[in-house]
Amino acid sequence: AQSVTQPDIHITVSEGASLELRCNYSYGATPYLFWYVQSPGQGLQLLLKYFSGDTLVQGIKGFEAEFKRSQSSFNLRKPSVHWSDAAEYFCAVAGQFYFGTGTSLTVIP
Amino acid sequence: NAGVMQNPRHLVRRRGQEARLRCSPMKGHSHVYWYRQLPEEGLKFMVYLQKENIIDESGMPKERFSAEFPKEGPSILRIQQVVRGDSAAYFCASSPWGEETQYFGPGTRLLVL
């Protein structure tokens, strides 16, 4: 069965620091993987997606993610976090579209 | 190109009333998905529709909930005889035929008093 796990419920980083949000998936075949961001009271905005090819994918707002089949992971990274990045981040796997429970990011000045 | 539209953005209902949530997909998108987000939780898939056809409703509660996507007009998620536990944010997403990427609307926040 498909599933997505985001082990970190909440992460706090200082502005300018690097960021890595973890995502592990369970899927029988080659997965289609996504990262979305949700600001308070808003809908979900697509950050990036992986379907095939290069395992390092670039997204909007300076985010990138790396697909590692051996670890069943699709971690999201950003080299330098901005205060405006504070939001809820969701990893998802396509098929029926399963979402992780989300990681809430707080950015401190 | 307008994004996915949902209305109303906020909806207040008393227990026992009906709630109708509307979703207009992006232009050219033929697939619509509905999700529910409870407070402090992720999104849970409810139903996947194409025009005039329900493809997958495995996430829909068996009673009181129904969805449609008619040939003309928006997709409708209907909740009959609402209960307090139905209070949540309901999101709609759309995708074009043959594409996996889903584009989300701003959601409808339903509050049942």
Side-chain angles (χ1 to χ4, degrees):
Chain A
Q2 293 170 255
S3 67
V4 177
T5 302
Q6 292 181 248
D8 304 307
I9 296 173
H10 187 244
I11 284 183
T12 299
V13 299
S14 298
E15 191 169 16
S18 63
L19 171 70
E20 182 170 31
L21 303 182
R22 295 184 290 165
C23 172
N24 294 99
Y25 67 89
S26 173
Y27 190 71
T30 300
Y32 294 165
L33 295 159
F34 304 81
W35 275 99
Y36 287 86
V37 60
Q38 183 182 31
S39 297
Q42 302 297 313
L44 277 73
Q45 181 182 21
L46 178 67
L47 283 175
L48 48 78
K49 59 188 177 184
Y50 171 78
F51 286 178
S52 64
D54 193 346
T55 56
L56 184 63
V57 294
Q58 302 296 321
I60 62 171
K61 304 184 179 186
F63 285 92
E64 65 178 27
E66 186 170 12
F67 170 62
K68 293 185 177 180
R69 184 188 299 276
S70 61
Q71 299 176 19
S72 297
S73 68
F74 188 57
N75 293 349
L76 182 71
R77 301 193 294 249
K78 186 169 184 178
S80 178
V81 171
H82 188 264
W83 64 266
S84 60
D85 293 325
E88 190 87 16
Y89 290 81
F90 293 95
C91 180
V93 61
Q96 195 186 66
F97 239 80
Y98 289 87
F99 280 85
T101 50
T103 297
S104 176
L105 175 65
T106 297
V107 181
I108 55 177
Chain B
N1 187 12
V4 178
M5 312 273 286
Q6 289 189 249
N7 66 81
R9 294 291 306 275
H10 299 273
L11 183 61
V12 180
R13 285 288 178 266
R14 297 191 182 278
R15 281 178 295 169
Q17 291 184 319
E18 178 180 285
R20 291 170 70 90
L21 287 62
R22 288 177 289 278
C23 169
S24 296
M26 288 179 69
K27 187 176 181 180
H29 288 194
S30 55
H31 299 189
V32 164
Y33 309 79
W34 285 94
Y35 295 85
R36 178 164 61 177
Q37 185 180 34
L38 294 170
E40 308 299 324
E41 293 188 14
L43 278 75
K44 293 289 193 288
F45 167 81
M46 298 180 75
V47 62
Y48 163 34
L49 311 105
Q50 294 176 9
K51 289 277 188 184
E52 300 183 285
N53 197 13
I54 297 175
I55 305 302
D56 183 350
E57 57 181 348
S58 58
M60 287 277 272
K62 292 291 184 280
E63 299 177 349
R64 302 188 297 107
F65 285 72
S66 62
E68 63 176 6
F69 188 16
K71 187 176 181 181
E72 301 291 337
S75 175
I76 306 287
L77 178 68
R78 182 198 294 182
I79 311 172
Q80 296 177 299
Q81 300 175 333
V82 295
V83 300
R84 289 215 173 110
D86 296 332
S87 296
Y90 291 83
F91 290 95
C92 166
S94 72
S95 67
W97 185 87
E99 228 193 83
E100 293 288 343
T101 305
Q102 296 182 19
Y103 299 87
F104 282 80
T108 294
R109 272 83 183 162
L110 172 65
L111 176 62
V112 179
L113 301 177

